[in-house]
Amino acid sequence: MKVVRSDHASANQRLMSSASISKVSIDGPLDSMPPGPSESVLAQTIRFRLGRQHYLPEMHERFGDVVTLRVVPGGPFVILRNPDHIKEVFKGAPEIFHAGEGNSLLVPIVGRNSVLTLDAPDHKPARKRMMPPFQHERIAALSSVVREITENEVRSWPVGKPFRLLDRSYALTLDIIVRAVLGVEDKHRAAELGRVLRRVSDIGLSDILVWIRPQLGSVWPWRNVVRNLDRADELIYAEIARRRQDPNRSSRTDALSIMLDGEPEDEIVRDELMALLMAGHETTAVAISWVFERLLRHPEVLARVRRNLHEPKDPYRTAVFKEALRVRPVIHNVARRLTEPIELAGYRLPAGVAVLPSIGAVQSDPRFWGADAKEFRPERWLEPNPPLHAWLPFGGGVRRCIGAMFAQVEVEAVMTEVLRSVHIEAVDLDDEGSEMRNITMIPKQGARVRVVRRLGS
């Protein structure tokens, strides 16, 4: 099938757009900013980009709930730990607190029509357009597909041989995206699309250089980044064209078919699909790996989950999901770029500054979670009045992750199907540390496991 793309933005055009958007202009004095470290911009940037899970809590311990970091690109950043301050940001006027600008580095992948990169007034109608695939009854229909895909995935796991569960989780969630979200049923097309989308989403630190300096796109290795983006575009536009011509489209339940109601432009659909890829593939895969990393090191928790696998809904299973995301946050912070000066936490912040709610720091703060704040204890979610205001894995306000419910259903379905199918154990007895990968915080060893035996066979 030939795809005409003359009216679609190319990868190079998106790179140029990203580079221009990500240039920060501070409109106002910085002398009233909150305190922060005296290290060089380079030192702060390296520590923030490569180890913020350790760096940000350390900065809060030194300077308090509000800290200024001088980080490039995009800084200075004002890091927030107090839920009251974070609530002000999440509930603030969307015209002032721009999350799209905070995500501007994602433009080369998700484009300018994505809910991740749009700001007021364009964000609200785009988000409304994205809501139908995530209605409760449609999520319930997708959950059966998730279980089927998980069963097939687990059959490929070797018995007795260690492997990185994170890698298999990436493959699993990408398969779910391609089949349940994009609705691609042809195995050959699904395989090629999966391979290309994985290359696009597998962002290395060096890849980001071409987003900041688009002229690098003509030379190796950044030339491959641009080629992968262009190939992904070609395949996605082809799927959009096929679905438009599908006479049975109105009866399909995949997100792509639902998105085409109202006949939006191809480029808008493309950007929305790529946003779902970025928001629903890597982050969910990392969440799955952390759930099992925690479960397999807490045998009493694992045994309790196993006892209720026959239940379609188990509050304790949900508690495990919430607690794993609390103690091992997939995303350590979100960002809002100020379009106007504001007063926050007693400081005058000028326009252009980015404020970053520190999810990881809030979710491990003993003021809200008690003396055992760093312990993995799912039972806390079954106790009266858990501090929901200090649990922020999906962000908050009008920018809260649109797929939060689907992510929870997906992770719990995967947890259930894996534990029904195999008996697995952690390869390493010690807790796995975490490290930054792209925008996510992953298990340092990839959540290494082995299958001890298959069940029910």
Side-chain angles (χ1 to χ4, degrees):
M1 176 181 297
K2 184 178 180 180
V3 182
V4 179
R5 299 196 43 226
S6 59
D7 59 338
H8 303 149
S10 67
N12 273 322
Q13 288 172 320
R14 293 197 301 272
L15 284 166
M16 295 298 294
S17 175
S18 172
S20 63
I21 295 168
S22 60
K23 292 178 181 177
V24 176
S25 175
I26 306 298
D27 184 15
L30 296 174
D31 52 5
S32 62
M33 296 280 283
S38 59
E39 293 97 342
S40 68
V41 171
L42 177 60
Q44 292 184 46
T45 298
I46 291 173
R47 294 193 66 188
F48 177 81
R49 299 294 180 195
L50 299 183
R52 71 189 69 175
Q53 73 274 33
H54 307 300
Y55 188 45
L56 297 189
E58 177 188 329
M59 292 300 98
H60 285 302
E61 288 303 310
R62 286 176 58 186
F63 300 103
D65 286 335
V66 189
V67 182
T68 298
L69 294 181
R70 294 172 294 137
V71 174
V72 293
F77 295 156
V78 175
I79 315 295
L80 307 174
R81 180 177 61 172
N82 189 308
D84 291 336
H85 302 152
I86 292 172
K87 184 178 180 180
E88 288 187 53
V89 173
F90 285 159
K91 291 188 174 296
E95 297 81 9
I96 297 175
F97 294 89
H98 272 194
E101 284 191 53
N103 294 328
S104 62
L105 279 177
L106 296 177
V107 167
I109 294 181
V110 303
R112 288 296 299 145
N113 303 295
S114 152
V115 290
L116 295 178
T117 54
L118 285 172
D119 282 305
D122 301 314
H123 174 263
K124 186 175 181 179
R127 185 178 176 90
K128 184 177 180 181
R129 193 171 55 244
M130 292 281 286
M131 290 299 293
F134 297 101
Q135 294 171 350
H136 285 277
E137 64 274 12
R138 282 171 170 155
I139 289 177
L142 289 175
S143 65
S144 62
V145 180
V146 173
R147 290 193 295 271
E148 176 192 339
I149 294 172
T150 303
E151 286 183 74
N152 292 334
E153 164 62 31
V154 175
R155 289 193 194 103
S156 71
W157 292 358
V159 175
K161 182 179 179 181
F163 63 95
R164 286 166 47 96
L165 183 60
L166 178 60
D167 295 339
R168 299 316 312 157
S169 297
Y170 283 139
L172 173 61
T173 57
L174 188 55
D175 197 11
I176 291 168
I177 287 286
V178 171
R179 288 184 54 191
V181 176
L182 301 183
V184 181
E185 296 166 350
D186 180 273
K187 290 183 179 180
H188 297 294
R189 295 206 324 271
E192 183 178 10
L193 190 54
R195 284 192 298 271
V196 173
L197 291 178
R198 182 68 197 129
R199 288 198 293 265
V200 166
S201 63
D202 188 16
I203 308 160
L205 192 59
S206 63
D207 296 336
I208 296 177
L209 290 175
V210 74
W211 300 2
I212 302 169
R213 296 285 184 269
Q215 59 270 27
L216 292 173
S218 61
V219 298
W220 185 89
W222 297 283
R223 183 169 54 238
N224 291 336
V225 175
V226 178
R227 285 176 176 171
N228 289 335
L229 286 168
D230 281 333
R231 181 57 178 158
D233 285 356
E234 183 180 351
L235 294 174
I236 288 176
Y237 282 124
E239 292 303 327
I240 293 171
R242 285 189 179 91
R243 199 60 46 79
R244 287 193 187 280
Q245 297 167 10
D246 187 345
N248 300 315
R249 192 181 82 202
S250 62
S251 63
R252 296 176 63 106
T253 59
D254 59 88
L256 172 55
S257 297
I258 296 168
M259 285 177 187
L260 290 176
D261 291 345
E263 302 299 323
E265 296 177 6
D266 283 4
E267 190 168 338
I268 292 175
V269 178
R270 177 260 173 219
D271 290 358
E272 290 172 343
L273 290 172
M274 292 303 287
L276 290 179
L277 168 70
M278 291 299 293
H281 158 48
E282 182 158 358
T283 53
T284 307
V286 175
I288 290 168
S289 66
W290 277 127
V291 164
F292 281 100
E293 191 277 340
R294 292 290 78 202
L295 264 181
L296 299 181
R297 287 166 177 79
H298 295 81
E300 71 289 350
V301 176
L302 178 60
R304 184 168 175 179
V305 172
R306 282 190 178 280
R307 284 198 297 270
N308 292 317
L309 289 177
H310 62 285
E311 297 289 347
K313 293 184 179 180
D314 175 22
Y316 192 72
R317 194 159 60 227
T318 298
V320 168
F321 166 79
K322 290 182 176 180
E323 183 72 346
L325 265 61
R326 184 189 72 82
V327 296
R328 297 293 187 270
V330 175
I331 302 292
H332 212 277
N333 59 265
V334 291
R336 303 286 189 270
R337 181 79 59 190
L338 300 180
T339 63
E340 296 179 14
I342 66 164
E343 295 281 345
L344 183 65
Y347 297 96
R348 181 72 173 171
L349 306 182
V353 165
V355 290
L356 278 65
S358 185
I359 294 170
V362 176
Q363 292 185 171
S364 60
D365 194 324
R367 292 178 297 180
F368 314 113
W369 299 99
D372 64 347
K374 295 186 178 180
E375 297 298 318
F376 178 71
R377 189 172 66 82
E379 289 76 13
R380 75 176 80 238
W381 291 98
L382 305 180
E383 297 167 355
N385 303 316
L388 290 173
H389 68 294
W391 188 72
L392 307 168
F394 298 106
V398 297
R399 306 297 297 228
R400 189 175 188 270
C401 176
I402 198 170
M405 177 67 72
F406 180 55
Q408 179 176 334
V409 169
E410 183 177 354
V411 173
E412 290 191 39
V414 170
M415 192 192 326
T416 301
E417 292 307 317
V418 168
L419 295 180
R420 280 176 176 168
S421 302
V422 292
H423 178 71
I424 58 175
E425 64 181 14
V427 173
D428 310 299
L429 295 179
D430 293 336
D431 295 350
E432 287 196 25
S434 60
E435 67 178 13
M436 284 293 299
R437 184 182 185 280
N438 306 337
I439 60 172
T440 58
M441 206 70 62
I442 67 170
K444 201 164 189 177
Q445 305 303 321
R448 297 206 310 152
V449 302
R450 71 165 61 87
V451 173
V452 177
R453 67 178 183 276
R454 299 192 183 280
L455 303 176
S457 60

